[in-house]
Amino acid sequence: MLYRVGQFLNSHRYAVIIAWLVLAGGLKLTAPSWTSVATDGDLEQLPADTTSARAARLNRLAFPEDRALSSIVLVFAREGVPLIQQDRQFILAMAKTLSERTDLPFSTPRSDEGPDLSVWTERTPVIGPMLKNESGSAQRVVVQLTNDFMATDNIRVLEVVEQTLLQFQPQAPAGLAMGISGSAAIGGDMLSAASESLRSTHLTTLLLVFTALMLIYRSPRLVVIPLLVITLSASVSLDLLALMAEFSQNHPDLWPTIRVFTTTKIFVIVLLFGAGTDYCLFLIARFRELLDTDSHRVESQGEAVAQSLDRVGLALAASALTTVVGLTMMGFAEFGKFAYSGPAIAVSLLVTLVVCLTLAPALLSTPLAAPRSNGAAKTPDAVSSEQRRAASPWWNEIAQRVTRRPGVVLAASLLVALPLAWHGWSTPVSYDLYSELPSGRISRQGTRLLQRHFPPGELGPLTVLAFSPDAELDTAEGRIAIARLVKPLTDLPGVAKVRSLDQPTGDPPGTVRLGSVEGLAALAAKSNPQTKAAFVSTSSPLAGEVTRLRLVLDHEPFSAEAVATCDRILETLNQMKVDKESDWYGATFELSGPTAGIRDLENITQSDRRRIEVLVAGAVFLVLLLLLRRPLVCCYLIFTVVVSYLVTLGLISLIFQSFDGYAAGTLLTGEVAWAGVNWKVPVFLFVILTAVGQDYNIYLVTRVFEEQRRLGPIAGLRKAVVQTGSIITSCGLIMAGTFVSMMTGSLRGMIELGAALSLGIVLDTFVVRTILVPAFLALLARRK
């Protein structure tokens, strides 16, 4: 059937080319921009049954007037001395200018009556005194926003605030330091860095693929073919995904739901250019072989196209299917970014496969790939025969050595790999979103200023919502019950302050003298009517039944230490709700804020990681079994990629742990001590290495079986290793090169993932495919 398809493509080559160009142009004109449909943000993709998601729903019901989802924090400080009067006037003037802007998504609509509750300053009732540090050397201005922490609009919001800061900078009193921090600022910086990473990845990928193709073919005519195919594949895939995402947004009740992210586009570009180049290289390699090799020579270019598609088309489809199936298994994850990204990338690879199996043969049928006369032999370019003859002795030597003593080779390889694999198994994983940002980002600089003068937890306090049905928490008895709730939380290690209806300033009873300025401020805050509205629900049907506690932790909100403190808090609350002697027996407690979100993210993604690893390995095994029909070989192929994955993870851990920028320094100096690989790395590394790694195994093993039928077990194995060595190595290097392009961005997680994928593909190409698989097949051949 594939032979007949090849004949059809040869006969109707120009119609096929025009059809693809028209389709790509039509999609380009109708598809929305990627940024308009991308829904970035990690914490926003958590399932609805996590504590942070339940807390958000309870907060909306109990405190409907509180619409703040994130904040921008402006920090003003002097080193070692209190702020002067001119500083305070300057701060208030800037805050007033911000509050008058109409292009910021304030959490509270502006009103001429009453205080402005969207921009908090030292004059804001109840909250104002909390915005200063104890020594008076620093002060904050907090802008409450309705945007989510990672809303795409935060890029623009951060730019607006930064422009305002630059506008006021010439008027600033001498010696006053200023900075921008807060969850919205960090989110905006992360999204901006992701966009920059996308642009640099796209450009670098194009340059790398073009350079690699020129080195392989040394013929501009043949380089044009894969570049056209891959570029059109990427264009069609991205526009199709954007259209599908837009349709899903407009019809949220229809299945399936399609969502895309900035990281989705990065993976689509990298994988499409890598896999698409591989597909084209294998097809073109067989096309050149048929035109040039004496034993397989064909008399016409069209016949070479038809036979090339017939001989490698099934292997290409099978190899693509392993990747597609592996990525589709991510759809069973609970975390939204995994569940939506995997199938979306799989769709793009299917498009690429179709384009490569139709457009590439059509282009090979044109004069662009017409063979040149080169003495007695016909070859598509002048150096292809010489290249293959020069490469054959090298691969022949490898094939001879591996098949001569396969048991020794296999044992030695595994002896070296297993210690690294064990280290990879125990590699720690980091969920510190803040540490992903490079030190030069404005939110990192502002956060360092903030943490020099305020507790680290002030960056994002942890909110506890306590729901006690039929309670009257706004009464005197309710205040006593809240005080009894606050006491065990205040005593927990890792908790700096607990702000509540009973103690709105967060100072524990007995720590502030009633006659002091601080004591008078605490008393005033406690009796202020706005305190009740801030800490106890006043709206039906939950009026008086829900209270909020604001916990300032000793560690910055995205750190592992803060998450550990969050676990202790939740454990304490759970003990109270089952204690029949407690005022809070039978109550419901939910946690919100960055730390609660990171805790949920860690729990969900760790569960997803185990599920995805089992599903991907199982699904790819079934695809291999369906194609090869040899269970033992299929089990071994899965084993090799799992070992390759663990070895890669172990090596990456060792490399980045020893890298000075990661292992040395502290947050205050602009760097963060290396705490483990980014949490996305293990999942995407396993899926891509398992799926893509099997591509090369399929290319090799199917060729081995083909040659063994003609030449016998050992001779056929050696011939297959020699014939596929150069092309698989070229494909592996190109794929690894496309992943290297991910390292040109500035986000730490993307750099780690790019390095891990590149290293993993190199190991798979030069160790798994070259040594481990041929050695095992040689052992099987000897048994026969």
Side-chain angles (χ1 to χ4, degrees):
M1 184 182 69
L2 287 175
Y3 178 78
R4 291 195 294 270
V5 171
Q7 289 181 318
F8 174 84
L9 294 172
N10 176 57
S11 302
H12 301 83
R13 49 188 174 273
Y14 293 112
V16 171
I17 295 170
I18 292 172
W20 275 116
L21 292 175
V22 170
L23 176 62
L27 287 173
K28 187 63 65 179
L29 292 174
T30 57
S33 66
W34 192 271
T35 54
S36 67
V37 294
T39 53
D40 283 301
D42 292 331
L43 302 185
E44 290 74 28
Q45 301 304 320
L46 291 170
D49 60 346
T50 56
T51 181
S52 54
R54 295 193 302 266
R57 293 194 296 270
L58 179 59
N59 190 76
R60 286 194 296 269
L61 188 62
F63 301 91
E65 71 284 352
D66 182 5
R67 302 186 302 135
L69 298 177
S70 65
S71 64
I72 294 277
V73 178
L74 298 178
V75 188
F76 305 87
R78 287 185 178 274
E79 297 297 334
V81 295
L83 296 175
I84 60 178
Q85 183 64 28
Q86 289 90 334
D87 296 335
R88 298 173 61 190
Q89 292 174 349
F90 173 79
I91 294 169
L92 291 172
M94 183 181 294
K96 184 175 185 298
T97 299
L98 281 173
S99 68
E100 293 172 349
R101 295 202 66 126
T102 59
D103 51 356
L104 292 177
F106 292 123
S107 61
T108 304
R110 282 191 50 77
S111 173
D112 294 333
E113 299 179 2
D116 184 356
L117 296 180
S118 289
V119 181
W120 296 348
T121 68
E122 63 172 322
R123 293 183 178 178
T124 303
V126 181
I127 299 166
M130 307 177 201
L131 301 180
K132 307 173 185 178
N133 68 350
E134 294 181 359
S135 66
S137 63
Q139 190 177 128
R140 290 170 291 160
V141 171
V142 180
V143 182
Q144 297 283 90
L145 306 172
T146 56
N147 284 350
D148 289 327
F149 159 55
M150 289 283 283
T152 307
D153 186 51
N154 282 344
I155 299 176
R156 181 192 62 82
V157 170
L158 182 57
E159 290 176 352
V160 169
V161 176
E162 186 177 2
Q163 289 170 3
T164 305
L165 191 67
L166 292 174
Q167 175 187 342
F168 272 79
Q169 198 165 27
Q171 309 168 29
L176 180 66
M178 299 180 289
I180 302 176
S181 183
S183 57
I186 293 173
D189 253 347
M190 291 185 66
L191 291 171
S192 179
S195 298
E196 294 171 7
S197 296
L198 174 60
R199 290 191 294 269
S200 63
T201 298
H202 198 170
L203 178 60
T204 307
T205 301
L206 279 170
L207 293 174
L208 285 171
V209 169
F210 175 78
T211 303
L213 289 173
M214 285 298 298
L215 291 174
I216 292 170
Y217 291 132
R218 302 182 187 179
S219 169
R221 296 190 308 146
L222 284 181
V223 169
V224 168
I225 293 176
L227 280 181
L228 284 175
V229 171
I230 301 162
T231 302
L232 188 137
S233 300
S235 176
V236 171
S237 299
L238 292 172
D239 289 339
L240 181 63
L241 286 174
L243 276 172
M244 295 168 67
E246 182 184 52
F247 181 84
S248 191
Q249 286 181 355
N250 296 333
H251 303 84
D253 298 329
L254 294 182
W255 185 88
T257 302
I258 305 295
R259 293 181 187 172
V260 295
F261 313 93
T262 300
T263 50
T264 306
K265 190 172 184 179
I266 292 175
F267 280 115
V268 167
I269 290 172
V270 171
L271 276 175
L272 257 61
F273 273 85
T277 304
D278 287 357
Y279 301 156
C280 289
L281 283 178
F282 275 95
L283 185 63
I284 294 173
R286 186 55 68 98
F287 170 75
R288 296 165 69 193
E289 183 180 332
L290 287 169
L291 285 174
D292 186 60
T293 304
D294 293 336
S295 58
H296 297 288
R297 179 176 298 183
V298 295
E299 294 300 327
S300 69
Q301 183 179 352
E303 180 67 13
V305 169
Q307 288 198 28
S308 298
L309 190 61
D310 182 51
R311 298 189 185 191
V312 302
L314 183 59
L316 292 179
S319 65
L321 185 60
T322 60
T323 309
V324 168
V325 168
L327 288 166
T328 303
M329 291 300 102
M330 294 180 69
F332 291 96
E334 292 186 84
F335 179 55
K337 271 201 169 181
F338 292 162
Y340 293 116
S341 293
I345 301 170
V347 169
S348 68
L349 282 174
L350 282 176
V351 171
T352 302
L353 176 66
V354 174
V355 176
C356 288
L357 293 180
T358 55
L359 181 59
L363 290 170
L364 288 174
S365 300
T366 65
L368 196 63
R372 295 177 179 178
S373 177
N374 187 29
K378 293 182 297 180
T379 176
D381 63 270
V383 296
S384 59
S385 302
E386 295 155 8
Q387 286 178 321
R388 281 195 293 276
R389 281 194 292 271
S392 294
W394 165 257
W395 290 107
N396 186 62
E397 180 67 20
I398 292 177
Q400 292 288 343
R401 288 180 179 273
V402 171
T403 56
R404 189 177 300 126
R405 304 183 67 183
V408 174
V409 170
L410 195 59
S413 301
L414 293 177
L415 191 63
V416 174
L418 289 179
L420 290 170
W422 177 257
H423 185 70
W425 178 269
S426 57
T427 293
V429 177
S430 172
Y431 287 82
D432 192 346
L433 301 182
Y434 171 73
S435 68
E436 284 197 57
L437 284 172
S439 58
R441 288 284 173 176
I442 189 170
S443 63
R444 283 288 297 270
Q445 296 171 348
T447 301
R448 289 198 294 272
L449 179 63
L450 174 72
Q451 294 186 336
R452 282 201 297 270
H453 298 276
F454 294 93
E458 290 284 8
L459 179 62
L462 177 70
T463 299
V464 174
L465 287 101
F467 171 42
S468 182
D470 302 322
E472 296 179 353
L473 299 175
D474 52 352
T475 63
E477 292 79 6
R479 286 180 179 269
I480 294 173
I482 292 173
R484 290 173 178 167
L485 174 64
V486 169
K487 180 63 170 64
L489 298 179
T490 305
D491 294 338
L492 287 175
V495 177
K497 290 184 178 181
V498 180
R499 294 169 180 150
S500 65
L501 178 66
D502 185 57
Q503 293 293 332
T505 60
D507 299 308
T511 59
V512 178
R513 292 183 295 105
L514 293 178
S516 66
V517 176
E518 293 82 3
L520 293 174
L523 186 62
K526 191 172 182 178
S527 59
N528 193 298
Q530 292 190 18
T531 300
K532 177 181 174 181
F535 289 103
V536 177
S537 57
T538 57
S539 301
S540 298
L542 300 180
E545 298 180 359
V546 179
T547 186
R548 288 191 295 198
L549 310 179
R550 307 284 192 185
L551 279 67
V552 179
L553 307 183
D554 288 330
H555 302 281
E556 62 98 7
F558 302 109
S559 66
E561 293 83 2
V563 172
T565 302
C566 188
D567 287 333
R568 290 192 291 269
I569 291 168
L570 196 57
E571 181 181 355
T572 301
L573 294 173
N574 288 335
Q575 290 174 355
M576 296 179 71
K577 75 178 183 181
V578 298
D579 183 3
K580 294 183 179 180
E581 303 299 322
S582 170
D583 294 310
W584 297 93
Y585 174 70
T588 298
F589 297 104
E590 303 293 356
L591 276 60
S592 68
T595 305
I598 291 297
R599 176 185 176 275
D600 288 338
L601 181 68
E602 182 175 349
N603 292 336
I604 292 298
T605 54
Q606 285 182 352
S607 174
D608 281 344
R609 178 181 171 183
R610 294 188 292 269
R611 182 185 301 110
I612 288 171
E613 287 175 352
V614 172
L615 289 175
V616 170
V620 171
F621 172 78
L622 292 177
V623 173
L624 290 173
L625 189 61
L626 182 65
L627 176 68
L628 303 178
R629 303 180 187 276
R630 303 196 186 187
L632 183 59
V633 173
C634 295
C635 287
Y636 181 76
L637 294 181
I638 293 294
F639 168 76
T640 59
V641 294
V642 171
V643 171
S644 176
Y645 157 74
L646 291 174
V647 169
T648 302
L649 207 55
L651 286 173
I652 285 297
S653 174
L654 292 173
I655 291 170
F656 281 104
Q657 193 170 2
S658 62
F659 186 66
D660 290 341
Y662 282 69
T666 65
L667 182 63
L668 296 181
T669 60
E671 301 296 341
V672 180
W674 193 86
V677 297
N678 182 268
W679 57 277
K680 296 188 186 78
V681 172
V683 173
F684 281 105
L685 180 64
F686 183 85
V687 173
I688 294 175
L689 280 190
T690 302
V692 175
Q694 293 301 347
D695 287 3
Y696 304 140
N697 285 335
I698 289 173
Y699 296 145
L700 171 65
V701 173
T702 53
R703 186 62 183 265
V704 168
F705 294 162
E706 177 186 339
E707 297 296 341
Q708 284 179 334
R709 286 191 293 268
R710 294 193 310 111
L711 303 174
I714 296 297
L717 174 60
R718 289 173 177 170
K719 176 68 178 298
V721 171
V722 172
Q723 289 297 110
T724 61
S726 296
I727 186 63
I728 290 181
T729 302
S730 299
C731 290
L733 290 175
I734 288 177
M735 180 69 79
T738 60
F739 288 132
V740 166
S741 65
M742 297 173 67
M743 300 175 63
T744 60
S746 56
L747 287 176
R748 173 181 294 193
M750 199 61 66
I751 293 172
E752 291 179 349
L753 183 55
L757 288 169
S758 303
L759 178 59
I761 293 297
V762 169
L763 288 176
D764 190 79
T765 302
F766 288 98
V767 178
V768 174
R769 207 283 319 167
T770 305
I771 298 175
L772 297 183
V773 173
F776 180 77
L777 294 177
L779 288 176
L780 291 183
R782 287 192 172 189
R783 289 182 58 188
K784 292 181 180 180

